[in-house]
Amino acid sequence: MIQCKTSKEIGGMGHSMKRKEDDRFVHGKGNYVDDVKLPGMLYMDIVRSPYAYAKIKNIDSSEALKIPGVLAVVTGKDLEQYNLHWMPTLMSDTQMVLPVDTVMYQSQEVAAIIATEKYIARDAREAVRVEYEVMKPVVNPFKANDEDAPVLRTDKEDQKDNHIWHWEVGQKEETEKIFNDAEVVVKEQMHIPRIHVSSIETCGCVADYDKVDNHLTMYMTTQAPHAIRTVIALVAGHVGLTEEKVRVISPDIGGGFGGKVPVYPGYVIAIAASFLIGKPVKWIEDRSENLQADSFARDYHITAEMAGTKDGKILATRMKVLADHGYTDASANPSKFPTGMFSIGTGSYDYSHAFMEADAVYTNKPPGGVAYRCSFRVTEAVHAIERITDRYALEIGKDPAELRFQNFIKKDQFPYQSPTGWEYDSGDYEAGLKLALKTVEYDKLREKQAQMRKEGKLMGIGLSTFTEIVGAGPSKDFDILGIKMFDSAEIRVHPTGKAIARFGTKSQGQGHETTYAQIIAEELGIPAKDIQIEEGDTDTAPYGLGTYASRSTPTAGAAAAIAARKLRDKARKLAAHLLEVSEDDLEWEPGKFSVKGAPEKSKTIQELVFAAYTNHPQGMEAGFEATHYYDPPNLTFPSGAYICVVEIDPETFEIDVKRFVAIDDAGNIINPMVAQGQVHGGLTQGIAPAMYEELIYDDDGNILNGTLMDYLVPTAVESPNWETGHTVTPSPHHPIGAKGIGESPTVGAPPAIANAIVDALKPYGITHLDIPITPAKIFEALKEKGVLDKPIVG
Amino acid sequence: MIPASFDYSAPSTLKEALNLLKDIGDEAKILAGGHSLIPMMKLRFAEPEHLIDISNVPGLSYVNFEGDHLKIGAMAREVDLEDSKEVGEKFPIFHDVAKLIADPQVRNFGTIGGNLAHGDAANDQPAVMIALDAQVEITGLDGVRTVGIDDFFYGFYATAVQEDEILTGINIPVPTGRFGNAYHKSERKVGDYATGGVAVHVELDAEGTCTKAGIGLTNVNPTPLRASRSEEALVGAKLDDTTIESAAQYASEDCNPSSDLRGSEDYKRRIIKVLTKRMIHKALERAQ
Ligand SMILES: Cc1cc2nc3c(=O)[nH]c(=O)nc-3n(C[C@H](O)[C@H](O)[C@H](O)COP(=O)(O)OP(=O)(O)OC[C@H]3O[C@@H](n4cnc5c(N)ncnc54)[C@H](O)[C@@H]3O)c2cc1C
C-alpha cells in the first residue's frame, strides 16, 4: 500500500527496516543511567514522608551519620543556605527540592543520604529520625476550596485559597444560547483518572561536579536534555554553574512517556550533593518511589455536555474541568497553555460553537500533570468528546457510527477552523471510519449483538473517531519557559559518504536511530544503514526542546528533511561542476544526479560528497554539513477510527476484549513496522486507564496502591490481538507530509473501550461509567441501579 | 528495593537445617523459593536476621504416587505439578491452580511447601489442599509429625509449623472411585492474588450420588477457609442444579471477605457464589 521512492538498499521512507538500535538492546549492550559508573562515585537515597500533610518538627541525622560509609544527610535547611530549597516548575509555579518545615504529600522527599554504597544509603534511611506533626490534608479536589479546607500554599503571599488558575476558551454566551434552545442536551460527569507512566526504567542521574574545572556533567533520565541544561544554569547560575559549565547527557532511556520531562527534586539534590562534596553522586529511584512520588498524569474531572437536534446534528459542546494538580502545578505544558491542548476537545465534528473552562486546585498529592504519551491533555479531551458523542447517539437512538458520519468534518473542509481556534491541517475521517467498519464487519456485529442480547449475553461495540493535535509547536504560540518549541537536526557527511546526524530530540525507545536515518536516506539517497544518529548530549547535539507530545517527527524530523535538502542543493552544485553542465540540466533520483537526456553521465551522492572534500569548485565552501532549526508553521492533526468489541460475563462482569481494530491516519509513514510497534504499545497503554490503572488515595492522603502488585499495569496477557491499519492523509505543511503516530493509540483507545462497555450494559440502562471500568465497578453500578441479575431485554 | 542486611546459610542436610533453626531461634527464617519472603524483605515488611536456604537439602522435591497417596515434597516447585502428566490426570485441579499462580518465573521457583508455610489466605494452594484433604508433614529435631490441613492454618502468616520445625511434605489421599476436582480464581490481571478463589473436589458413587466433597476458598477470610456447609449440602445428594445452587449460596454466606481494592464485600461474595457453582460443575464433568 505504501509506495517507496527509494530502493530497499537505500531504505528511505516507507521501508519496514529493522530498528538499528535493537541490536544493542537485545544484546544487553544498552547504556542506561544506572550503567554509568565513575571513579569515587557516591550513592544517594531519599527519606520520604509517611504523611500527606505534616509539619516537620525536627530531623535528627545523628544516628544515620554514625553508620560507617554515610557521609552526609542533606535536609531542606541545608539547601536553604544556598537558596536551592525551592525550584521553579515548568508552569511557573514553585516546587520544593527539600522541605524546610512542611511536607505536602505522602512519599515527598524529606532528606537525602549520601553514602559510599547504595546498600548503606538505603539502611541509613531508617536511621534518620523525623518528627512530624500530622495535619488534616486536602484530598478531594471538589472540597479543596471549602470553608474549612486549609490553605496549602502558605509560602505564597497572595494565595488565599487552594485555587490555582481559571482558563477558558470559546464562545460562552452563544454556546449557552444554543444549549438553551436545543432539542436535545446530554450531559455526563466523568473522571479521567490519575495515572502514572510506569516506564520500565525509573528516574535517576549521576551528577558529576568537577571542582577544579567548575564543571558539571549530568547523566540523567531526561527527555529534554537541552532544556534541562538551560534550567540548571538558570537555577544554579548564581553558584557558578553557568550554561557553558554544564553538560547534560541523556544516555539510553528505558521509556519516558512524559514522565521524564520534569525536573524531580532528586536530580537537584544529587547536583547539590556533588557540588558540595566534589564527587560524583548517583541517584536511582526504586519502583515504589517512582510510582508514588514522580509526576502523575491526567486527573481531570470533566462535566461534558453536547447539544444537538433530534435527528443527530451536533450543534455545540460545553466542557467544564476541575484539575487536581497536587500541591504545585508541575504540569509539562507549553507555557501559554495551562490546560495543554485540551481545546482539541471539539473533536472530529463540524459545528460552530463550543465553550470550555477549567479550574485547577491544589491538594495534598504529588505534583505533575505530565503529558503521558499524549500531546498535553489531549487524552482527557478526546475521552470527553468521544464519550459524550456516544451518549448523544444513545439519547436519540441513533447508531453511533451513523451519527459520526453525519457530523464529520468533510475532507474538502480542510484546513478547518475549529470553534476553539485551531486550524486542522488535513484529514479524511470518513475514509478512516469506513475502513474500520469494514475491517470489523460492523453490520454483522450489530446483528450478532442483537442475537446475543436475546440470549441474555452482554456484548458491546464501541467507537472512537478522534483527532489528535501534535508537534508543538509554532514559535508564535509555543514555548517552554520562554524557549520556543522549534527543534533541530545537524547532518555531517564524511568524505567516504557515510554520515552522522545529531538532533535536539531524545529517543526513549521510539526508534529515532532508524527513522531519522530513513528521512535523511529519503532526501539524500545515502543508505539509512550508513547514517549514524546521535541524540542526548548537549555538548554535541544542536539545541532542541526534546521528545514528548509526538513532536519529534513533526519538528526534528522536518529539520532533518530540510537539512538534507540543503545538502542535496550543494550536491547539485558539485555535480554540475564535475559533469560540466549547468545545474538545470541535472536530474535527481535517490542517490544520484544525472544529466538530462544522457543518463549514463551521472555522479552518485557518495562521489559528490567525496568531491566536497577533495575537489570542490573554487569559491564553494568545503565539507558536506548542514544544520536546520525547524519552526513548524502549524501543528499536525493525526486522526484515527478505533472500534472495540467486548463481551462481559453476566455473572462476574469480567470484561473480555474480543476485538480491537485501530485505523490510524498519521500522514506519510516513515517506517511502517516502527509505526505499527508504536500503535501496539500505545494501545496497550490505552487499555491501561480504560480497564486497570488508577492511583488511589484514602481520605488521609495515603496512596493505596503504591506498588505494582496493586497498581495494575497491563501485560501482553491482558492485550487483545490488535488489528491495525491505516489511511494516509499527508500533512500539507510538513516537509515530508508526516504527522506523528506515537500517541494516537493511547489517546484514542480509552473511549473506544469505555463506549464498548457502556454499550454492552445498555440493556441495563447504564449511560456512563468512569474509567478504569473494572468488573467490581460494573457490579456496583448495576447494584446501585437496582438491576443486578434482572433479565436483560434486547 | 533493598532488604535489610541478613546472614545466610545453605545447609546440606535436614538435620543441619533444624540445628541451625534451633541455634539461631526466632530471628531465623527458612528460605524456600523466596517468592513470598524476598519481596516482603525488599519492602522491609520482614527483616529476618538469618536466612536458612533449604534448596540444597536433598530429598524434598519429590512428586510421587505412593500407595493410595499423592506425595509432594515441600521443595517441589509449582512447575513440577504443572508439568506432571500423571498429576494432571488424577488431579487436574493442580494444573488449574498452577496456571493461575503468577507467571512461569514465579512457578519455576515457588515451592508447594512455601505456598502453604507462608500462611497467606491469598495464596492459592491452601484452598486446593483443603478441598483435597491434605495431610502436612512437619519435621523437627524430635521427628516427624502430621497435621491435617484443617489444623494447619492458625492466622495471618501463622501456621502449625513451629519456629524450630520445617514443613517437609504433603500427602493427598487418592480416591479409588469416581471423582473430579477443579480450581478457579477471579483476578484483576494476570499474576494478581485472588479477588476470590474456589477449589472443589467431589467423589461420586456408581449412581452419581456425592459421597465426599471438599471445598476450599481463597482470600475471603483471614485464613484459607473450608466451606463446610456447602460440602454438607453436596454429600449424600445427586448434584443437580438446585443442590449446586444452594451449596454455592452457602459458600458466599459463610465466607468473610473484606472490602478493598479488589472489590466490595458484596462483590466478593458474588464471585465466591459464581465460582463455587462453576467449579462444582467442572469437577462433576471431570468425574464422568
Ligand atoms: C509476582 C508474584 C505473584 C504471585 N502470585 C501468586 C498467586 O497468584 N498465588 C499464589 O498462591 N502465590 C503467588 N505468589 C507467591 C508464590 O507462589 C510464592 O512462591 C509462595 O507463596 C511461597 O513459596 P516459596 O517457595 O517462594 O516460599 P518462600 O518465599 O521462600 O517462603 C515463604 C514463607 O514460608 C516459609 N517457608 C517456606 N518453606 C518452608 C518450609 N519448607 N518449612 C517451613 N517454612 C517454610 C518461609 O520461611 C517464609 O516465611 C506470587 C509471588 C510473586 C512474586
Side-chain angles (χ1 to χ4, degrees):
Chain A
M1 178 168 176
I2 288 171
Q3 295 270 324
C4 300
K5 282 196 221 134
T6 57
S7 65
K8 201 167 168 225
E9 287 65 45
I10 292 176
M13 284 183 55
H15 289 288
S16 281
M17 178 183 170
K18 280 195 182 162
R19 301 204 321 171
K20 292 165 63 169
E21 46 268 77
D22 286 348
D23 262 356
R24 181 164 87 246
F25 297 139
V26 299
H27 285 96
K29 294 286 184 193
N31 182 39
Y32 298 89
V33 171
D34 203 14
D35 294 319
V36 174
K37 293 191 176 70
L38 301 178
M41 190 167 77
L42 305 174
Y43 295 84
M44 182 172 101
D45 210 319
I46 292 178
V47 178
R48 292 175 183 276
S49 171
Y51 305 111
Y53 188 37
K55 284 250 174 299
I56 298 175
K57 309 259 291 187
N58 186 40
I59 301 177
D60 176 3
S61 314
S62 54
E63 288 304 313
L65 287 167
K66 280 183 201 154
I67 299 173
V70 173
L71 301 183
V73 176
V74 185
T75 65
K77 291 221 162 91
D78 299 324
L79 295 182
E80 194 179 15
Q81 296 171 34
Y82 302 91
N83 197 25
L84 280 176
H85 55 313
W86 286 88
M87 62 179 178
T89 71
L90 292 179
M91 299 315 290
S92 303
D93 205 330
T94 52
Q95 179 172 1
M96 291 179 221
V97 177
L98 283 173
V100 173
D101 50 25
T102 313
V103 285
M104 289 292 209
Y105 63 93
Q106 189 183 48
S107 290
Q108 186 183 338
E109 300 79 1
V110 172
I113 295 142
I114 313 294
T116 51
E117 274 184 43
K118 66 176 175 182
Y119 304 98
I120 296 175
R122 176 64 186 85
D123 284 347
R125 232 156 85 171
E126 253 77 358
V128 176
R129 303 256 175 275
V130 188
E131 244 181 87
Y132 297 96
E133 180 189 319
V134 182
M135 299 184 281
K136 187 77 195 150
V138 177
V139 180
N140 182 344
F142 288 96
K143 295 188 176 161
N145 286 317
D146 282 2
E147 287 281 291
D148 59 345
V151 178
L152 297 179
R153 295 301 300 273
T154 48
D155 57 292
K156 294 178 150 194
E157 265 175 34
D158 305 337
Q159 193 75 38
K160 299 283 176 272
D161 52 21
N162 293 318
H163 184 257
I164 313 178
W165 44 252
H166 175 81
W167 164 92
E168 58 181 61
V169 69
Q171 309 82 28
K172 188 172 186 177
E173 282 81 35
E174 294 96 314
T175 304
E176 196 174 319
K177 188 162 183 318
I178 295 172
F179 268 87
N180 289 341
D181 300 344
E183 290 172 354
V184 183
V185 170
V186 287
K187 178 174 179 177
E188 291 290 351
Q189 172 70 36
M190 40 187 101
H191 183 215
I192 317 301
R194 180 175 273 246
I195 56 174
H196 196 277
V197 300
S198 299
S199 52
I200 288 181
E201 181 199 31
T202 61
C203 294
C205 66
V206 178
D208 182 17
Y209 177 71
D210 182 328
K211 274 193 169 164
V212 177
D213 288 345
N214 181 32
H215 182 277
L216 174 73
T217 306
M218 183 70 178
Y219 304 86
M220 179 174 172
T221 49
T222 178
Q223 302 175 219
H226 302 272
I228 294 290
R229 187 189 67 197
T230 305
V231 170
I232 292 175
L234 290 175
V235 176
H238 67 283
V239 295
L241 285 175
T242 48
E243 200 161 1
E244 85 287 10
K245 294 290 188 189
V246 180
R247 177 183 185 185
V248 177
I249 298 175
S250 182
D252 283 327
I253 299 292
F257 309 113
K260 288 171 181 164
V261 171
V263 175
Y264 294 115
Y267 299 133
V268 182
I269 309 168
I271 294 173
S274 178
F275 188 79
L276 294 174
I277 302 172
K279 287 196 174 179
V281 174
K282 179 184 271 190
W283 167 65
I284 305 286
E285 291 171 328
D286 71 25
R287 177 59 58 195
S288 301
E289 295 178 290
N290 177 262
L291 189 58
Q292 295 172 17
D294 285 0
S295 291
F296 71 92
R298 327 281 192 244
D299 213 353
Y300 265 24
H301 296 268
I302 306 173
T303 314
E305 292 177 276
M306 183 174 269
T309 64
K310 268 188 272 183
D311 65 352
K313 177 82 196 81
I314 301 172
L315 299 175
T317 52
R318 208 153 51 176
M319 288 180 192
K320 190 172 164 53
V321 175
L322 178 67
D324 181 346
H325 272 286
Y327 93 89
T328 178
D329 184 0
S331 296
N333 290 325
S335 302
K336 293 196 193 95
F337 298 84
T339 59
M341 317 283 107
F342 185 78
S343 51
I344 193 67
T346 54
S348 308
Y349 315 110
D350 179 24
Y351 55 94
S352 54
H353 288 84
F355 180 67
M356 299 176 177
E357 60 184 324
D359 290 276
V361 294
Y362 292 127
T363 60
N364 288 107
K365 290 182 207 153
V370 295
Y372 173 6
R373 206 167 181 161
C374 149
S375 178
F376 316 118
R377 305 294 188 183
V378 179
T379 314
E380 292 88 326
V382 163
H383 198 80
I385 183 69
E386 289 304 303
R387 268 269 57 234
I388 202 67
T389 300
D390 256 45
R391 178 71 188 83
Y392 174 42
L394 179 70
E395 187 74 16
I396 61 174
K398 195 159 201 163
D399 182 277
E402 205 183 316
L403 184 104
R404 282 172 166 84
F405 280 123
Q406 187 182 347
N407 288 284
F408 273 151
I409 300 164
K410 303 285 180 294
K411 197 176 163 184
D412 57 14
Q413 285 177 277
F414 293 91
Y416 177 83
Q417 302 294 330
S418 88
T420 50
W422 299 110
E423 183 182 297
Y424 293 13
D425 60 348
S426 66
D428 187 351
Y429 302 149
E430 280 181 20
L433 182 54
K434 274 187 189 149
L435 180 56
L437 294 177
K438 194 174 142 215
T439 310
V440 81
E441 297 188 277
Y442 188 71
D443 294 339
K444 274 196 200 152
L445 265 184
R446 285 287 177 203
E447 280 166 29
K448 184 176 168 195
Q449 181 183 42
Q451 185 55 39
M452 287 179 77
R453 279 186 180 153
K454 281 192 197 127
E455 295 161 13
K457 291 182 182 150
L458 300 174
M459 186 265 235
I461 307 162
L463 276 66
S464 159
T465 50
F466 61 92
T467 294
E468 253 262 71
I469 172 169
V470 307
S475 60
K476 78 178 157 49
D477 293 324
F478 288 88
D479 69 86
I480 287 182
L481 295 174
I483 300 165
K484 302 297 186 184
M485 294 183 75
F486 57 82
D487 226 295
S488 61
E490 177 210 82
I491 308 171
R492 297 182 181 185
V493 189
H494 314 308
T496 53
K498 319 283 176 181
I500 184 165
R502 295 188 170 109
F503 294 81
T505 48
K506 175 62 208 167
S507 177
Q508 309 122 41
Q510 289 88 338
H512 290 177
E513 287 170 52
T514 310
T515 51
Y516 283 158
Q518 288 186 267
I519 294 174
I520 296 169
E522 174 83 3
E523 299 293 336
L524 267 186
I526 294 175
K529 69 171 177 18
D530 293 347
I531 305 167
Q532 188 189 336
I533 303 297
E534 261 187 31
E535 303 171 288
D537 183 341
T538 57
D539 267 12
T540 56
Y543 202 97
L545 273 254
T547 294
Y548 41 86
S550 281
R551 66 186 296 280
S552 296
T553 295
T555 60
I562 293 176
R565 284 174 196 172
K566 288 182 191 171
L567 289 176
R568 200 167 71 202
D569 288 345
K570 180 159 190 173
R572 180 185 287 275
K573 290 196 170 63
L574 285 158
H577 168 68
L578 295 178
L579 295 165
E580 298 178 337
V581 294
S582 89
E583 287 181 41
D584 295 340
D585 291 335
L586 291 169
E587 224 164 18
W588 169 256
E589 67 184 274
K592 71 176 171 198
F593 275 110
S594 50
V595 177
K596 279 183 195 159
E600 72 288 354
K601 289 177 94 183
S602 69
K603 289 284 172 194
T604 66
I605 185 73
Q606 287 81 5
E607 289 168 326
L608 295 168
V609 171
F610 195 64
Y613 291 91
T614 58
N615 181 21
H616 59 288
Q618 284 292 314
M620 181 190 275
E621 205 180 336
F624 207 75
E625 299 184 8
T627 304
H628 190 77
Y629 283 73
Y630 184 75
D631 181 0
N634 189 6
L635 296 129
T636 60
F637 295 78
S639 61
Y642 290 1
I643 301 178
C644 175
V645 182
V646 299
E647 283 178 30
I648 299 178
D649 185 314
E651 290 183 308
T652 63
F653 309 114
E654 279 160 336
I655 304 159
D656 188 1
V657 178
K658 286 284 177 197
R659 292 187 69 186
F660 198 104
V661 171
I663 306 299
D664 276 289
D665 193 332
N668 289 333
I669 292 177
I670 301 162
N671 181 323
M673 186 173 66
V674 169
Q676 195 188 31
Q678 288 288 307
V679 173
H680 282 193
L683 290 172
T684 307
Q685 286 179 312
I687 59 169
M691 294 171 62
Y692 300 100
E693 293 182 16
E694 176 174 18
L695 293 164
I696 303 170
Y697 293 84
D698 70 11
D699 292 344
D700 294 321
N702 299 310
I703 185 162
L704 297 181
N705 53 352
T707 76
L708 294 189
M709 288 303 284
D710 282 309
Y711 184 82
L712 306 174
V713 178
T715 67
V717 179
E718 284 72 36
S719 306
N721 175 34
W722 307 117
E723 301 172 60
T724 62
H726 53 253
T727 54
V728 176
T729 314
S731 167
H733 62 77
H734 187 272
I736 56 170
K739 288 186 168 184
I741 183 69
E743 302 175 334
S744 283
T746 326
V747 165
I753 297 163
N755 286 343
I757 295 171
V758 171
D759 184 49
L761 299 172
K762 182 176 160 185
Y764 286 124
I766 297 288
T767 62
H768 175 76
L769 287 172
D770 273 341
I771 56 172
I773 306 177
T774 62
K777 193 180 271 184
I778 295 174
F779 169 83
E780 301 303 334
L782 298 186
K783 191 173 113 182
E784 199 183 306
K785 248 186 168 302
V787 292
L788 209 49
D789 297 324
K790 288 258 161 68
I792 66 168
V793 262
Chain B
M1 300 285 117
I2 298 170
S5 69
F6 56 87
D7 289 329
Y8 172 88
S9 320
S12 48
T13 65
L14 192 57
K15 183 114 190 278
E16 215 184 307
L18 288 166
N19 276 321
L20 275 169
L21 268 182
K22 191 181 112 207
D23 295 346
I24 303 164
D26 61 0
E27 295 305 338
K29 270 257 165 220
I30 296 291
L31 177 69
H35 273 57
S36 288
L37 183 54
I38 290 176
M40 287 181 68
M41 289 168 63
K42 285 184 166 185
L43 291 165
R44 302 206 178 199
F45 293 154
E47 300 193 4
E49 283 172 18
H50 201 119
L51 290 188
I52 302 168
D53 183 349
I54 55 169
S55 51
N56 291 345
V57 172
L60 292 179
S61 300
Y62 54 87
V63 176
N64 295 327
F65 283 93
E66 252 181 64
D68 51 5
H69 278 84
L70 166 62
K71 299 198 154 199
I72 303 172
M75 287 301 283
R77 316 272 170 174
E78 301 290 349
V79 66
D80 297 331
L81 296 184
E82 191 181 359
D83 284 356
S84 162
K85 213 169 147 234
E86 235 188 323
V87 168
E89 273 161 18
K90 289 238 165 19
F91 296 105
I93 191 169
F94 280 122
H95 285 194
D96 295 344
V97 68
K99 287 195 180 64
L100 289 166
I101 293 178
D103 45 53
Q105 274 168 308
V106 173
R107 304 202 285 266
N108 286 342
F109 260 90
T111 65
I112 311 299
N115 201 300
L116 299 183
H118 190 47
D120 185 348
N123 273 1
D124 295 299
Q125 291 289 7
V128 173
M129 298 298 175
I130 287 173
L132 299 179
D133 247 337
Q135 298 280 315
V136 185
E137 256 180 39
I138 301 171
T139 307
L141 281 171
D142 303 338
V144 183
R145 64 191 180 101
T146 304
V147 173
I149 195 74
D150 288 322
D151 300 320
F152 184 78
F153 299 106
Y154 284 10
F156 197 51
Y157 297 141
T159 70
V161 184
Q162 298 303 301
E163 268 157 23
D164 54 356
E165 292 180 317
I166 293 176
L167 192 166
T168 40
I170 300 122
N171 299 331
I172 292 162
V174 184
T176 42
R178 276 171 70 193
F179 67 96
N181 42 56
Y183 181 75
H184 192 63
K185 77 179 188 192
S186 163
E187 55 185 355
R188 295 171 299 176
K189 68 166 237 192
V190 71
D192 188 22
Y193 288 96
T195 303
V198 181
V200 172
H201 173 82
V202 292
E203 297 178 21
L204 308 172
D205 67 14
E207 280 75 50
T209 301
C210 178
T211 54
K212 188 164 185 246
I215 300 181
L217 308 180
T218 303
N219 216 9
V220 284
N221 192 62
T223 52
L225 189 68
R226 181 183 288 283
S228 308
R229 231 174 10 132
S230 309
E231 292 173 351
E232 283 157 22
L234 301 185
V235 175
K238 286 256 169 28
L239 301 187
D240 55 20
D241 285 354
T242 329
T243 311
I244 293 173
E245 185 71 24
S246 54
Q249 181 63 30
Y250 292 147
S252 80
E253 286 170 10
D254 295 349
C255 65
N256 304 294
S258 43
S259 300
D260 58 21
L261 294 179
R262 292 191 169 78
S264 65
E265 182 192 324
D266 272 7
Y267 178 65
K268 291 181 179 183
R269 288 192 193 278
R270 179 186 188 87
I271 288 296
I272 290 300
K273 180 171 175 183
V274 173
L275 293 186
T276 304
K277 187 176 72 183
R278 290 181 186 176
M279 288 310 101
I280 297 173
H281 277 294
K282 195 162 177 185
L284 200 53
E285 250 167 56
R286 285 173 171 173
Q288 297 315 315

